[in-house]
Amino acid sequence: MTTKFYDALQLDPSILKRRIAACETKKEKTFYRAAMAVRSALIVAFAILFISLLSGLFGADNTPMAVALFCMLLGIRFVNFEYCAGDSLAGLAAALAILTLAPCAAAQAGPALVAPLHFAAFFALLFLTSQRPEMGNGGIYSFAYIYLTGNPVAGEALARRGLMALAGWLVCGAVLLAKHRGRHADTRFHHLVRRFRLSRPECMWQLRMALGVSLVLAAGQVFGVERFMWMGFACGSLLSEYSLPGSAAVRFWQRIAGAAAGCAAFALLYLALPAGLRPLLGPLGGFCMGFCTDYRYKTAMNCFGALMIGAGLYGLSGAVALRLADTVLGAAFGLCFAALFHRLSRRLLPAADPAL
């Protein structure tokens, strides 16, 4: 067995599952299965420690920013911004400023300004961080923006959120330099600005994501939809697919099926467990995520943490009903928007990538 256990812990679950399938001995299969379990447990333990520490320092009302920073920290270890380290540090600072200020500003904006504000902020965020959508950065920063939009703060809490973002910039910036120093050394950020063209597939993807997500978030805010960020998650998840039209309907039904299965599993466990053990359902969902490679199962496990919070606000049945309703609305909007965007882009920009 040539792979070290530490090295196996660094592998994605999809890679670990492929290696398990290719193993010829029971010992090798046990090795990789143990690595998958330990990897998942370590991520959950680190998440609890990291988020608890930041929440303790900067206030429980800023826990959503701590969650966003945790996701960014995990992602930035493997994926950079595709431009030089110095500019990347500045880009990271700008991204964190957007995540800190834009969602809170949108919460105070009038109905006519909500969608333009979200669009400008979200597009800038994607352009700063996601030049290669297939690497998954778009999903991380999309999640962070939507989650913070659903949890705005003001006044002194906003100041503490800014300080947390500064702490996050120091930590994530250090990891970025350690892992990616020297990469793309000849590419400056202004080079990306100069070569921006809607005929480029990554630029069209950024536009599609920003426009679709900003519209669904604005609609949720203006019409007062409860937990409208769940609509945003469903829509953003569907639109984050790089080559979308051919898989939009498939991903739509996978999202619905995953949400239904996750809500059912959560409800059964919630009712079966004593009240004192129910808070463990959130970490349980995170642990199970470490074994998931299929989009449906990831969607199901993502329900656990959301429903644990929702159950405290709306009761179990209310949280489940709201989760399902918001998911259907967000995914349906994303599906219709993707089809319309694809048709208009093909008509107005015939030279654009047909996959978009």
Side-chain angles (χ1 to χ4, degrees):
M1 190 177 298
T2 58
T3 303
K4 295 181 179 179
F5 194 72
Y6 176 81
D7 295 331
L9 293 177
Q10 311 306 310
L11 299 176
D12 185 81
S14 60
I15 299 175
L16 288 169
K17 285 193 174 183
R18 287 199 297 269
R19 295 200 177 185
I20 291 171
C23 287
E24 298 180 353
T25 66
K26 185 176 180 180
K27 182 178 180 180
E28 289 177 321
K29 288 182 183 290
T30 301
F31 173 83
Y32 286 114
R33 285 169 179 161
M36 187 179 294
V38 172
R39 174 188 178 277
S40 185
L42 288 175
I43 290 176
V44 172
F46 178 58
I48 293 172
L49 178 63
F50 183 86
I51 294 169
S52 298
L53 176 61
L54 288 183
S55 299
L57 290 173
F58 299 101
D61 46 2
N62 281 316
T63 298
M65 175 60 89
V67 174
L69 289 173
F70 171 75
C71 296
M72 291 168 58
L73 181 60
L74 292 185
I76 212 165
R77 294 174 59 217
F78 302 105
V79 184
N80 57 63
F81 295 162
E82 300 291 317
Y83 45 94
C84 67
D87 286 5
S88 291
L89 288 176
L92 177 62
L96 285 168
I98 291 170
L99 290 172
T100 301
L101 300 174
C104 300
Q108 304 299 322
L113 296 177
V114 174
L117 195 159
H118 277 314
F119 173 76
F122 197 58
F123 181 82
L125 183 67
L126 292 177
F127 190 78
L128 286 164
T129 63
S130 307
Q131 292 299 319
R132 292 184 62 193
E134 68 274 17
M135 299 302 292
N137 251 14
I140 292 174
Y141 290 91
S142 172
F143 165 81
Y145 187 87
I146 295 168
Y147 191 36
L148 292 170
T149 296
N151 294 276
V153 291
E156 189 261 342
L158 179 57
R160 286 187 277 107
R161 181 166 290 190
L163 291 175
M164 184 188 290
L166 176 60
W169 178 78
L170 293 173
V171 174
C172 291
V175 174
L176 188 151
L177 287 178
K179 297 292 184 178
H180 307 291
R181 184 196 300 270
R183 296 187 180 182
H184 311 288
D186 297 328
T187 304
R188 302 294 304 274
F189 180 73
H190 65 80
H191 294 151
L192 303 182
V193 176
R194 288 178 180 176
R195 69 177 186 230
F196 179 85
R197 299 287 187 279
L198 287 181
S199 58
R200 297 175 64 90
E202 68 274 12
C203 298
M204 187 64 81
W205 174 87
Q206 291 162 354
L207 177 63
R208 186 187 70 203
M209 272 285 288
L211 186 57
V213 172
S214 64
L215 287 175
V216 80
L217 289 178
Q221 287 183 247
V222 170
F223 292 107
V225 178
E226 289 286 338
R227 307 300 284 181
F228 66 88
M229 66 179 179
W230 290 349
M231 290 172 54
F233 290 145
C235 178
S237 178
L238 192 149
L239 294 179
S240 67
E241 278 287 278
Y242 193 28
S243 299
L244 184 60
S247 60
V250 173
R251 198 167 178 86
F252 169 81
W253 289 113
Q254 288 178 336
R255 185 79 188 188
I256 302 303
C263 287
F266 178 87
L268 289 174
L269 290 172
Y270 188 92
L271 294 173
L273 289 174
L277 294 180
R278 288 171 181 169
L280 296 177
L281 287 174
L284 175 63
F287 177 76
C288 292
M289 274 284 290
F291 297 86
C292 296
T293 55
D294 187 283
Y295 179 66
R296 292 167 297 180
Y297 300 136
K298 289 181 179 180
T299 299
M301 292 301 103
N302 272 329
C303 288
F304 277 48
L307 288 174
M308 194 66 244
I309 297 173
L313 297 173
Y314 309 104
L316 176 61
S317 60
V320 168
L322 192 57
R323 179 72 175 188
L324 290 173
D326 283 350
T327 297
V328 171
L329 287 173
F333 180 90
L335 182 65
C336 296
F337 175 83
L340 179 61
F341 186 92
H342 177 63
R343 177 173 296 183
L344 290 176
S345 64
R346 294 294 294 152
R347 180 176 297 178
L348 300 175
L349 294 166
D353 191 317
L356 296 172

